[in-house]
Amino acid sequence: NAGVTQTPKFQVLKTGQSMTLQCAQDMNHNSMYWYRQDPGMGLRLIYYSASEGTTDKGEVPNGYNVSRLNKREFSLRLESAAPSQTSVYFCASSEIAEETQYFGPGTRLLVL
Amino acid sequence: QQQVKQSPQSLIVQKGGIPIINCAYENTAFDYFPWYQQFPGKGPALLIAIRPDVSEKKEGRFTISFNKSAKQFSLHIMDSQPGDSATYFCAASMDSNYQLIWGAGTKLIIKP
């Protein structure tokens, strides 16, 4: 039981490049989330998916897109990376909304 | 009104002491208040959570105190140990919108 897994662990991009962050959970959870964590700012929700087939914007969705591929997988795409998107990205899942969220180990992204 | 304000930003306590971390919120519709613990290089993990129908909740050495009238809640760690050194986040959410709103985090160091 791996919990929540994220790939890659670390990535360096040049401004304007695109990439997809992958997230998968093996806990049969319905809800999944993407956060970014910046120093001194806590975690900010980018997008979430309450259940398979639905996605909704969070607090900071601009510059990102998501896909809930199936119940297990929830990907985050940066179409044209900007230095302001340098951050640590966490994926999380929960059985239902407003229950305990289980986090992955994070992806450290540096945009030059 | 959506903010959760957390203090202090950092805290150093001697082993055996009782660190206290405070959070304040404005939105009276919040009805779920979790605390998460994060070790370096890891994702946050749920430590303890409380709902407004109780004023205190204990789990092992960790206690949440909740003051509904003051719109404040705090985390106390009894008999603190060096292994408790981590960043602690408070958060809040409401039934109608289950997005967690996070505090900025407190970096806690327990000195041996």
Side-chain angles (χ1 to χ4, degrees), chain B residues 81-96:
Chain B
Q81 301 296 314
D84 296 329
S85 297
T87 300
Y88 292 81
F89 292 94
C90 63
S93 70
M94 58 186 121
D95 266 340
S96 61

Side-chain angles (χ1 to χ4, degrees), chain A residues 69-95:
Chain A
L69 305 168
N70 48 55
K71 192 171 185 179
R72 288 187 66 248
E73 298 172 288
F74 189 36
S75 63
L76 178 72
R77 182 160 178 85
L78 286 71
E79 291 291 351
S80 179
S84 61
Q85 293 179 306
T86 292
S87 188
V88 181
Y89 291 85
F90 287 101
C91 177
S93 70
S94 63
E95 188 166 335

Side-chain angles (χ1 to χ4, degrees), chain A residues 98, chain B residues 29 31 94-98:
Chain A
E98 214 191 287
Chain B
D31 61 1
M94 58 186 121
D95 266 340
S96 61
N97 177 350
Y98 45 81

Side-chain angles (χ1 to χ4, degrees), chain A residues 28-32 49-52 68 71 94-96:
Chain A
N28 201 35
H29 285 168
N30 290 300
S31 302
M32 297 186 74
S49 171
S51 60
E52 187 179 354
R68 183 74 183 265
K71 192 171 185 179
S94 63
E95 188 166 335
I96 57 173

Side-chain angles (χ1 to χ4, degrees), chain B residues 58-107:
Chain B
K58 288 184 183 180
E59 284 187 9
R61 295 184 293 108
F62 299 92
T63 299
I64 298 180
S65 297
F66 186 82
N67 186 330
K68 190 173 182 178
S69 60
K71 291 184 285 186
Q72 294 176 348
F73 58 109
S74 59
L75 177 71
H76 302 233
I77 306 175
M78 308 301 290
D79 187 28
S80 58
Q81 301 296 314
D84 296 329
S85 297
T87 300
Y88 292 81
F89 292 94
C90 63
S93 70
M94 58 186 121
D95 266 340
S96 61
N97 177 350
Y98 45 81
Q99 297 182 41
L100 279 175
I101 307 300
W102 295 75
T106 296
K107 185 172 183 179

Side-chain angles (χ1 to χ4, degrees), chain B residues 9 13 28 32 47 52 54-55 71 80 90 94 96 101 105:
Chain B
Q9 203 169 17
V13 173
T28 55
Y32 176 66
L47 191 61
V54 296
S55 61
K71 291 184 285 186
S80 58
C90 63
M94 58 186 121
S96 61
I101 307 300

